Each structure stands twice: as C-alpha cells, then as structure tokens.
Amino acid sequence: YVDAMGVDWCSSLGSADVLLHLQIRGRGNYTWASFDKKPYRIKLAEKQPLLGMNKSRHFALLAHADDDVAFLRNTVGFEVSRRIGIPFTPEQRPVEVVLNGDYIGLYFLTETVRVATKRVNILEQRDGQEHEDSVTGGWLLEIDNTTQAEQQIRFSTEGTDLWRLKITYHSPDSLSAIQTAYLIDQIESIKRAIYFHDGDSTLLEKIIDLNSLARFYIVHELIDQLEGFVGSCYLYKDINEEKWKFGPVWDLGNAFNSYHDKHQFIYQNSPYPISIMNTVCNFDSFQKEVLKVWNEFYPDGLEGIDNFINSFLKQIEKAAVSNAHRWPEYGNSNVWESAKLVFTRFQEKAEWLDSQWHREDIQGIADVSSSNVHLSVPRYFNMQGMRINAQHPVNGLLIVSNGRKYFIKK
C-alpha cells in the first residue's frame, strides 16, 4: 500500500488493512548481485495510478545503491530526455520502502520500459507471429551487455567474433521462425550500414531514424553516461515503418562519473570501448543531425534545470539521511554535498559540447565558381579517416563538392 504522508502531489492507495495485490521479484544483473540494497520489479494485480503516474500494472523499485551523487544520475538524465523531446521517458517517484516490516530505505518507484500506449507506443506484436506482413513491427529491442539464455540473439561485428553484439528482444517475448529471420535480417542490415560503409554513405539513415538517435546520443553526452550504447540501450520499430528509432533512456548509473575527461566525447578514451558510436559518429549525416538538434535545443532547453535539481534535493534530503543510516556503506547522507559534482560536471560538459557543436552562419563568402560547391566551417568532420575536433582545431575551410572533400588552410 502507498501512504502519501500528506503530500499534495499524490494520493494514498490501499492501507495496512486493505492491501493492493502484487507480485514482486528481484531485478537487475550487476545491481542485484553486487549490493545488499536490492532492486525489485513489481506487477500489480490491477492497473493503478501509483503516485500520480499513468495507470499500469508494471513498475520497478530501483535502489540506486551505487548512485553516490545524490541520486541524480537517472533523475537528471530522465529530465534531459523529457526536455529534448524523446517520445517516452520513464517517470519516477522517490519513496521510502518498508518490506515485511523492515525499513529498506529510499527507493525510486519507476515506470518500466515496455510496449504500452503511455510508454513505448507501438503495436504490440503477437508472440510466434507467422504472417510475413505482420512481423515488421512492433519490435522493442535492447543492445545488452549481459548474456541471457533466452530472448537474445548475438551478432558478430566488424567481420570478427571478438565482440558479439547482444540483442535482447522484449516485444515480442517469443519468436517464430519467420520473426527470427526478420529480426536477424534487420540487425544484419544495421550492422552493415554501420561497420561496412564510410562516413559518406547514405545507407545509415535509410534504416535508422537519425533524429531519434541524435536526441538519444545528446542526452548521454550531456550527462557523460559512458555505458549508454553498451547496455540498456533500447530501440524500437513500429509495424510497416522502415526505420528503427532509439529510446527510451534507461539505467543511467554511470552518469556524472569523476574519472572521464569532460573535454572529450563519451566514446573517446572510455573504459567501455565497445560502442556503436565509435563508428556512427563518423557519418556525415549523423554529424549534421546532431548539430541541428543541439542548436535547436541548447541553451534554452536546459533553462531552469538547476531549479529542478534543487527542488528534487529538497524533496529527498531527509529520506536520504534515513537511507544512509540504513545503508551507511552507500553514502549520500548529505545530498547537497554529493550534488556538487553533478552541478560542476553538468555545466562543464554542456559548455564543452557547445564549443564543439555551436554553428554560426557563414557570411562574406563570394566568387565561388561552381554552384555545386558547398562551403562550411564545421567544428569537426572526417577527412581521410581522421576525426577533427577541439583537440585538433580547424583553421580553414572544408569544401564538399560532388561527394569529395577538400580542406583549405587559412
């Protein structure tokens, strides 16, 4: 049962005498095995609007035992996701949990990622579908970093077996031979588009919605979530749609780390070097989409986010103290002190990204002899396989003419 404790933003549900029936089980891989404070998944017998969230039977109680920056990793990441316009971002509510009479601390009741009208809003494909016209969607997949016995297909990448791309399918739950063949063909097509074409190729945007990928990527860059494309990376496709879309964001437990240089991208010098973004960020079409989305979003899209963080910290500060008494090994007894790193790192990374991606109009260029020549002064681009960015300032012009690139020094 839920006791609202007199707050004005939610209502109580059930009571000690009138219980809501549910099933509960452990969830997570690393977080379940590594911490005494365990995360759980709950399934209610009937749909309920828990703490003002959309009615559902499916929620998670996330422990965030390893979030030592004032429980702000998912909190800020989810907020940025909402602001940048990703169609579904999980809602979360801070709660204190008593399980079988034992106070187990501050948790976050969170909407789970699943196919539903108010979550990932695509057609829910039937398990074991046999009709070819019905297997084009809806699919909900996850690029995973764990090995599961079921509901996972693995693909070799870059023509080798050194790293196998693990794809866990969440919808449908069980596949017919036709569904399996379709999924394998789709992932192989994505793999070919990413790994077997250069940055000038237009194949990538034919199978991946680059706008959704750009928004998803920018969220992970802003919060410096190094594992963003290594695991818990969701993508989906509705029926009869040609392109796969990325999202929603989930499991941002590596955000705002203290060991990665904020003056570089998340795929550079990362302790998690295996990521599709190592290659995707070399594509001209994706670079242009990132520039477009960033310049539409920043800085107005982050206005007032400091007030959002301060409001959240005020909401949880007393519960965080109680949580620290219950779990002294996990920190955060003073959320204001723990949050200092987030404020510093977040601002630093946003300003650095803007120095890379801020686009200014080019004026005063005249006497161009060919109408087919496009002049631009990008902050980064590819030439002969080398990435040019802030570490290698561009002092000149990039000319793209009939598919060829020429760099002219000042």
Side-chain angles (χ1 to χ4, degrees), residues 160-212:
T160 75
D161 288 323
L162 294 178
W163 171 48
R164 297 186 69 80
L165 183 65
K166 296 182 283 291
I167 300 294
T168 299
Y169 48 91
H170 295 279
S171 182
D173 291 325
S174 59
L175 307 184
S176 67
I178 292 176
Q179 287 170 317
T180 300
Y182 180 84
L183 178 58
I184 290 175
D185 179 70
Q186 287 289 298
I187 300 302
E188 289 288 354
S189 296
I190 294 174
K191 187 184 76 173
R192 287 192 298 271
I194 293 174
Y195 290 107
F196 296 103
H197 290 83
D198 61 27
D200 291 326
S201 172
T202 60
L203 188 60
L204 187 68
E205 56 263 41
K206 292 180 180 179
I207 195 167
I208 292 177
D209 184 290
L210 295 188
N211 185 268
S212 74

Side-chain angles (χ1 to χ4, degrees), residues 232-248:
S232 299
C233 176
Y234 285 90
L235 59 161
Y236 60 93
K237 188 166 94 67
D238 210 347
I239 191 166
N240 296 326
E241 288 189 349
E242 296 181 359
K243 299 181 181 183
W244 290 84
K245 296 180 180 179
F246 276 72

